[in-house]
Amino acid sequence: QGRLVQSGAEVKKPGASVKVSCKASGYTFTRHYMHWIRQAPGQGLEWMGIINLSGGATSYAQKFQDRLSMTRDTSASTVYMELSSLKSEDTAVYYCARKNNAFDIWGQGTKVTVSS
Amino acid sequence: DIQMTQSPSSLSASVGGRVSVTCRASQDISNSLAWYQQTPGKAPKLLVYAASRLESGVPSRFSGSGSGTDFTLTINSLQPEDFASYYCQQYYSTPETFGQGTKLEIK
């Protein structure tokens, strides 16, 4: 059926970077694209970007273009999301989600807190 | 970017009742529309994809309809576990945008 397990919560200072991992199991890793979505406290869902797990091509939302990087390690069935130049507004729960028609499998979420 | 306008932002209903949530896209998205349920502290859960197809394991009291720009999620015979937040999402084109969400509360 499939499962996504994300890395643990992070606390970062403004200007720092954060790297969140998402390990897939239970299905063929490269068969589906992976997306990242975030949710600020009390807010809705915001799409950040997509990575093709087969070839590694990425596409990011315009607002993150210059500070977001998504990579994958196919040998470890793991996807990484790195966000740099963090601001307090980046405080949110970050989710990875498998695309299969829609987002059918989600990670449990990683809380990232940006605070001085 | 395609804008998704979801309404209402909140509503209250009774156990056993019926509710509908609507979602309007700013342009034609065919049937590339999904609905998710989210409870506090949890990841969203896929309910409906392709506007009207129920995800495996989702109770039949949930149903989706619509195409083009106007879509509806209906929940019949509300159960206590249905009181949660609901989001629509278009996957017709990137960026894949979400509606603002609808919080369903117990009356």
Side-chain angles (χ1 to χ4, degrees):
Chain A
Q1 178 71 343
R3 188 180 180 208
L4 300 174
V5 177
Q6 298 182 221
S7 50
E10 303 263 12
V11 179
K12 296 291 183 181
K13 293 193 181 304
S17 297
V18 68
K19 191 170 187 176
V20 179
S21 67
C22 169
K23 183 172 177 59
S25 61
Y27 70 95
T28 302
F29 180 68
T30 53
R31 188 167 291 174
H32 300 277
Y33 287 51
M34 197 75 78
H35 296 240
W36 288 87
I37 297 113
R38 75 177 186 179
Q39 187 171 37
Q43 303 300 307
L45 300 164
E46 180 177 30
W47 183 84
M48 298 180 69
I50 175 178
I51 180 168
N52 177 339
L53 299 180
S54 178
T58 56
S59 177
Y60 306 140
Q62 182 97 13
K63 69 180 288 186
F64 301 112
Q65 280 286 347
D66 55 349
R67 61 189 189 103
L68 177 61
S69 175
M70 295 180 186
T71 55
R72 91 277 189 231
D73 179 347
T74 55
S75 66
S77 298
T78 300
V79 180
Y80 302 92
M81 185 281 298
E82 184 169 22
L83 190 63
S84 61
S85 302
L86 289 169
K87 316 164 197 175
S88 58
E89 308 91 90
D90 294 317
T91 293
V93 176
Y94 290 76
Y95 295 101
C96 57
R98 185 183 85 165
K99 183 72 174 294
N100 182 27
N101 293 307
F103 299 139
D104 66 337
I105 301 174
W106 293 66
Q108 83 276 19
T110 296
K111 185 174 182 179
V112 175
T113 303
V114 183
S115 174
S116 54
Chain B
D1 297 2
I2 298 175
Q3 306 301 317
M4 304 301 293
T5 304
Q6 193 175 330
S7 61
S9 57
S10 65
L11 74 161
S12 60
S14 301
V15 173
R18 177 180 190 239
V19 297
S20 291
V21 180
T22 63
C23 190
R24 174 166 288 176
S26 60
Q27 66 185 71
D28 189 337
I29 59 170
S30 184
N31 69 338
S32 300
L33 191 282
W35 291 97
Y36 301 88
Q37 176 194 63
Q38 187 180 33
T39 54
K42 299 290 188 181
K45 173 189 172 184
L46 177 62
L47 299 174
V48 172
Y49 65 96
S52 61
R53 293 182 177 244
L54 212 59
E55 175 72 348
S56 176
V58 174
S60 59
R61 62 180 181 273
F62 291 91
S63 64
S65 63
S67 67
T69 60
D70 293 309
F71 303 87
T72 302
L73 173 72
T74 300
I75 314 171
N76 291 301
S77 186
L78 281 165
Q79 299 300 299
E81 60 268 27
D82 299 338
F83 293 92
S85 293
Y86 293 86
Y87 294 90
C88 62
Q89 177 234 347
Q90 67 80 20
Y91 51 92
Y92 183 80
S93 66
T94 56
E96 298 193 17
T97 42
F98 291 86
Q100 308 96 308
T102 296
K103 187 173 184 179
L104 175 58
E105 298 174 310
I106 299 178
K107 185 182 288 184

